[in-house]
Amino acid sequence: MTPDIPEHAWPEHAWPAHARPEHAWRRGPGALDARLLDVPMLETVRAMAGRTPDALAIAEPGRSVTYAQLWRAIGERVAGLASVSEPGGTVGVIEPYGLEYCLCVLACMAAGRICVPLDPAAPAQRLAELARAVRMQAGFGPADALPAGCRPVPAGAHPAPTIRVDVRGPAFIVATSGSSGQPKLVVQNQRTWAFHARGFVDLFGLTARDRHVFAGAPNSFSAVIHVVTPLLVGGAVLACDLRTHGLSRLLELMTQHGATVLRIAPTLARTVMRPAARAAFASLHGVRLVGEAVSAADVAALRPLLPAGAMVASCYGATETIPFEYVVPADFPADSATMPCGHLRPGGTFAILDDDGCPCPDGVAGELVIRSRYNAMGEWRDGGFVRGRMLPDPADPEATMYRTGDVALVQPDGLLTVLGRIDRQVKVNSNRVDLVEVEAEIRALADITDAAVLAREVAERVEIVAFVVGGAAAAEIRRSLADRLPGYMLPARIVHVGRIPLLPGGKTDWRSLMRSLDE
């Protein structure tokens, strides 16, 4: 059953009145056809299955399905879901990113179940904690990977799924690192899901000829979005999990099917950008770099491997809100110190506000706030949905305002540039990590009396460093953390110290800790 939605008490720091006038908010260029977002996306996929049944829909190394086969496979999994879960219930998908992952996500969408994509490589304890937090009824994945109490979805038989979906109700939950020391469970609906998918279609002008590649983690917000993105226009998904198949198989899949659009994080792109990738990139007309900061050097290294005229776009965004996008000009200077985040996608407005909630003039940094009807619904807490950090928009009851926690400014040409974080969230290999959560896990280990965690950039990579007081040897601490945290959240270095240095006001002296690494 769909959980009750409790009343939410908005934070005491209600939005300052002087932050509300329309002149404080900026709109991105372009227009949005919101009518498309009220049509269940599976209705569009079903129409494609009837119109082009033999067209390629999804391919992974060694296996593929046409649209007709895709529709039958979705129906089989919907029938299986009906036997182990209820409409509105939470269903885990613990599969590597591939054909089966895509089918399971689409089946949840068709059946009106709340999809919870999880990383099969995550520690069993973390999977179990997340399953309990969302009250997971059932799960797709190997039986030995499913947390206790999570019923496996059996094989079913059904000619085609019946789509009865509330596009405004909870559709999936993504676990991100949270500042409370526990994962934050972000809730999205199908309408927002469609907003992001159709925005990608519009950005790259996708058609039925396109073969789309998503290179990233299966438990991410982007992974769920890009399962359906090319299917909305009759194109195909090329799905390859790098940990399962390796980079060479991904490049082979791209070459075999003539990949046309690639979504990839800059850190991963740096490992792919080699002469051997030229054949795989030969058909690309668009690359979207997303998930972490994009540098001019990243784009300059990528362009020689792409066909002439291929579009490179950088994207700034967060799981909770709508993105900024920047189509990088061909003559963008390779030695530029910063890469703009671009313009806000149509469908929202933004403001740069100072500490008092007043609008900042161009060129002056402040906190980036985004208001939209397509922000995340909120968060999942204690078995139900709450608004969380989504503040009400007094000018539009259907919209919310999201304080990103990012420090940004608007350049004279109207482009946004993000300078850093107000809080302690960082991106590691395109995964959002809240350093407070890492600290909480370290402090929970035996004999550790204090800990502090920071992040620094080393050779264009973000490295997490943990300072600990007491406890076992660094190698043993790391092994213990590996049972509780995914790999990208593990400290690259663990440094034992006699005490955590403090400032006169009692706060951690981060500069002192950073200096100690260079001594």
Side-chain angles (χ1 to χ4, degrees):
M1 297 177 62
T2 302
D4 292 334
I5 299 179
E7 287 293 325
H8 178 71
W10 295 105
E12 293 180 1
H13 57 279
W15 207 256
H18 49 265
R20 297 175 184 169
E22 278 301 318
H23 71 266
W25 301 91
R26 299 169 181 263
R27 198 175 298 275
L32 170 72
D33 186 353
R35 295 171 299 178
L36 292 174
L37 308 183
D38 288 317
V39 178
M41 288 183 285
L42 263 294
E43 293 282 9
T44 303
V45 177
R46 175 164 58 185
M48 295 296 176
R51 189 180 309 153
T52 57
D54 298 326
L56 177 68
I58 303 174
E60 68 176 6
R63 187 182 173 204
S64 65
V65 294
T66 64
Y67 271 85
Q69 293 166 335
L70 169 68
W71 195 246
R72 287 194 296 270
I74 292 172
E76 292 166 359
R77 285 155 184 78
V78 168
L81 279 171
S83 66
V84 292
S85 64
E86 300 175 351
T90 53
V91 175
V93 177
I94 311 176
E95 292 278 358
Y97 186 78
L99 174 56
E100 188 59 35
Y101 173 93
C102 296
L103 293 174
C104 296
V105 169
L106 294 170
C108 289
M109 179 193 291
R113 269 54 169 183
I114 302 174
C115 177
V116 187
L118 298 171
D119 185 356
Q125 181 175 340
R126 185 174 180 84
L127 292 177
E129 290 172 352
L130 291 172
R132 286 194 295 271
V134 301
R135 300 186 181 178
M136 194 179 294
Q137 294 182 354
F140 290 103
D144 58 355
L146 298 180
C150 182
R151 302 172 68 184
V153 180
H158 197 280
T162 300
I163 303 170
R164 296 191 182 93
V165 174
D166 176 9
V167 296
R168 296 174 183 264
F172 66 95
I173 301 172
V174 175
T176 69
S177 186
S179 58
S180 66
Q182 296 295 323
K184 182 165 59 173
L185 303 171
V186 181
V187 182
Q188 304 276 8
N189 59 29
Q190 280 202 31
R191 200 163 181 265
T192 299
W193 195 347
F195 169 84
H196 285 275
R198 290 194 178 277
F200 192 95
V201 169
D202 292 342
L203 177 66
F204 287 102
L206 299 188
T207 70
R209 296 187 298 274
D210 278 295
R211 304 290 181 261
H212 176 269
V213 180
F214 166 82
N219 59 319
S220 68
F221 178 45
S222 292
V224 176
I225 293 169
H226 290 295
V227 165
V228 72
T229 297
L231 303 180
L232 294 175
V233 292
V237 180
L238 304 184
C240 180
D241 186 83
L242 286 169
R243 288 176 299 193
T244 302
H245 295 288
L247 178 58
S248 61
R249 295 298 300 278
L250 171 63
L251 296 178
E252 289 172 7
L253 183 71
M254 292 175 66
T255 303
Q256 177 187 356
H257 292 285
T260 60
V261 181
L262 170 66
R263 181 274 183 204
I264 192 168
T267 300
L268 180 56
R270 293 175 199 133
T271 69
V272 176
M273 288 187 283
R274 57 187 68 176
R278 194 176 301 276
F281 287 11
S283 300
L284 291 178
H285 67 75
V287 177
R288 189 183 196 220
L289 296 170
V290 62
E292 56 200 20
V294 179
S295 72
D298 291 327
V299 178
L302 178 62
R303 287 210 188 273
L305 300 177
L306 298 175
M311 185 172 79
V312 178
S314 68
C315 173
Y316 157 84
T319 301
E320 295 89 346
T321 190
I322 69 177
F324 284 76
E325 289 158 331
Y326 180 59
V327 177
V328 185
D331 60 353
F332 192 86
D335 59 352
S336 177
T338 60
M339 174 70 71
C341 296
H343 295 288
L344 187 67
R345 179 181 291 178
T349 57
F350 75 97
I352 307 294
L353 303 179
D354 64 18
D355 291 342
D356 296 321
C358 296
C360 296
D362 287 358
V364 176
E367 183 179 8
L368 171 64
V369 181
I370 300 175
R371 58 191 261 189
S372 175
R373 294 183 176 188
Y374 311 106
N375 285 334
M377 294 181 67
E379 300 171 27
W380 195 266
R381 297 180 192 166
D382 302 322
F385 165 73
V386 298
R387 295 290 181 184
R389 293 181 62 186
M390 295 299 163
L391 297 169
D393 183 350
D396 183 354
E398 293 189 44
T400 56
M401 298 187 291
Y402 179 67
R403 301 182 65 163
T404 66
D406 285 330
V407 178
L409 58 81
V410 176
Q411 299 176 359
D413 57 8
L415 297 175
L416 182 86
T417 296
V418 172
L419 305 177
R421 292 288 303 173
I422 292 175
D423 54 23
R424 297 180 57 210
Q425 290 183 352
V426 297
K427 284 289 186 74
V428 179
N429 294 336
S430 79
N431 295 284
R432 186 169 67 180
V433 175
D434 199 300
L435 299 179
V436 173
E437 183 179 355
V438 181
E439 281 181 3
E441 294 292 356
I442 293 174
R443 289 195 177 99
L445 299 179
D447 301 325
I448 289 179
T449 58
D450 201 0
V453 176
L454 58 78
R456 65 175 186 168
E457 188 169 314
V458 178
E460 296 187 326
R461 289 179 178 272
V462 175
E463 176 183 86
I464 297 175
V465 182
F467 298 86
V468 299
V469 179
E476 186 173 338
I477 292 174
R478 187 175 174 83
R479 282 194 295 271
S480 298
L481 290 174
D483 293 332
R484 306 174 65 85
L485 296 172
Y488 62 84
M489 293 181 69
L490 296 176
R493 293 183 61 186
I494 298 176
V495 182
H496 282 84
V497 294
R499 65 180 182 86
I500 301 297
L502 300 177
L503 296 169
K507 296 182 179 180
T508 300
D509 186 348
W510 297 108
R511 290 186 179 181
S512 177
L513 287 174
M514 186 69 79
R515 283 197 303 268
S516 71
L517 294 175
D518 300 323
E519 295 175 352

